[in-house]
Amino acid sequence: EVQLVETGGGLIQPGGSLRLSCAASGLTVSSNYMSWVRQAPGKGLEWVSVIYSDGSTYYADSVKGRFTISRDNSQNTLYLQMNSLRVEDTAVYYCASPDPNRHDYGDYLVYWGQGTLVTVSS
Amino acid sequence: DIVMTQSPDSLAVSLGERATIKCKSSQSVLYTSNNKNYLAWYQQKPGQPPKLLIYWASTRESGVPDRFSGSGSGTDFTLTISSLQAEDVAVYYCQQYYNTPRTFGQGTKLEIK
């Protein structure tokens, strides 16, 4: 059974930094497409970033240059380093992934964590 | 970036009736080399993460009731719930995974009339 567990959220002042973690079980982070998706309070879903198995990374324009996605293969954990945080970054951040057992080259998101809340406020 | 636009923003349907949600992409999400539409539908209930319903525009995820169906190709897609049940009250999102950034529609809130 695949489980994704996000941690690291909290209250942070504008301009501050935070690192989110997503501990995975039941799948291997290094060989899977792993994504971060966020949802501001009462708003819709916003795709944030993805890291592919070859290590290539992509970001939404809204976070490019401020956020960095990475992984620790030994810990089977995905990270999101968030710098220069803004009030508009306030959201629940979800870690999500495709099903590694489907080899259909589609990274539609089958597995989701429960999310971790990041609040950026002074 | 591909912009995904859903309609309507909200919808109220009677129990047992059909619910239809539209999703339009600003450019085609059909990959001609494999004839697949890179379009997924998700359901989100309050306080829960999204749940995958449909992928490749029309393939139902395992365990999803067959009253849910997806259709469309290119830039125009539809999610249909054939006979609305109380547990279908949720917000529904389409998402393209044709290119990056992956983009979601703004969501459609489905309620019981």
Side-chain angles (χ1 to χ4, degrees):
Chain A
E1 181 193 3
V2 173
Q3 273 198 312
L4 302 173
V5 179
E6 304 96 335
T7 55
L11 175 63
I12 188 78
Q13 290 190 336
S17 297
L18 210 56
R19 189 179 79 160
L20 306 183
S21 300
C22 171
S25 58
L27 62 79
T28 302
V29 165
S30 63
S31 55
N32 213 27
Y33 300 171
M34 300 297 299
S35 295
W36 289 98
V37 175
R38 69 183 181 183
Q39 186 169 37
K43 302 298 185 182
L45 302 173
E46 180 186 14
W47 179 86
V48 173
S49 182
V50 65
I51 184 167
Y52 290 135
S53 52
D54 67 0
S56 57
T57 59
Y58 298 88
Y59 300 92
D61 288 345
S62 58
V63 306
K64 201 174 295 182
R66 300 188 299 123
F67 289 12
T68 302
I69 190 171
S70 63
R71 65 193 180 206
D72 183 331
N73 299 343
S74 65
Q75 298 293 317
N76 206 32
T77 298
L78 177 73
Y79 299 104
L80 187 67
Q81 177 68 43
M82 304 185 296
N83 298 331
S84 303
L85 281 161
R86 305 168 180 168
V87 170
E88 55 265 34
D89 295 319
T90 295
V92 173
Y93 284 74
Y94 295 102
C95 165
S97 78
D99 183 337
N101 296 314
R102 302 181 199 183
H103 305 288
D104 61 0
Y105 304 104
D107 60 338
Y108 46 90
L109 300 171
V110 177
Y111 299 109
W112 294 72
Q114 288 298 311
T116 186
L117 175 62
V118 173
T119 303
V120 185
S121 174
S122 54
Chain B
D1 298 1
I2 298 178
V3 177
M4 308 299 291
T5 304
Q6 292 181 226
S7 61
D9 290 335
S10 63
L11 181 62
V13 174
S14 300
L15 290 173
E17 295 300 305
R18 178 184 299 261
T20 302
I21 299 170
K22 302 283 189 182
C23 175
K24 188 174 183 67
S25 57
S26 60
Q27 65 187 75
S28 177
V29 298
L30 172 63
Y31 194 40
T32 53
S33 64
N34 59 10
N35 200 36
K36 287 186 172 182
N37 287 281
Y38 284 57
L39 189 285
W41 288 95
Y42 301 87
Q43 175 194 64
Q44 188 180 32
K45 297 181 179 180
Q48 297 184 17
K51 172 188 173 184
L52 177 69
L53 294 177
I54 303 284
Y55 57 97
W56 300 128
S58 61
T59 302
R60 195 180 307 113
E61 173 67 351
S62 175
V64 173
D66 61 6
R67 64 180 180 273
F68 291 90
S69 64
S71 62
S73 185
T75 61
D76 293 281
F77 301 91
T78 301
L79 174 69
T80 301
I81 307 172
S82 60
S83 176
L84 189 71
Q85 305 299 303
E87 61 265 32
D88 301 334
V89 169
V91 180
Y92 293 83
Y93 297 92
C94 61
Q95 185 212 14
Q96 64 81 19
Y97 48 100
Y98 182 84
N99 65 12
T100 53
R102 309 288 193 239
T103 43
F104 289 90
Q106 79 276 20
T108 295
K109 186 174 184 179
L110 178 58
E111 299 173 312
I112 305 293
K113 186 187 291 183

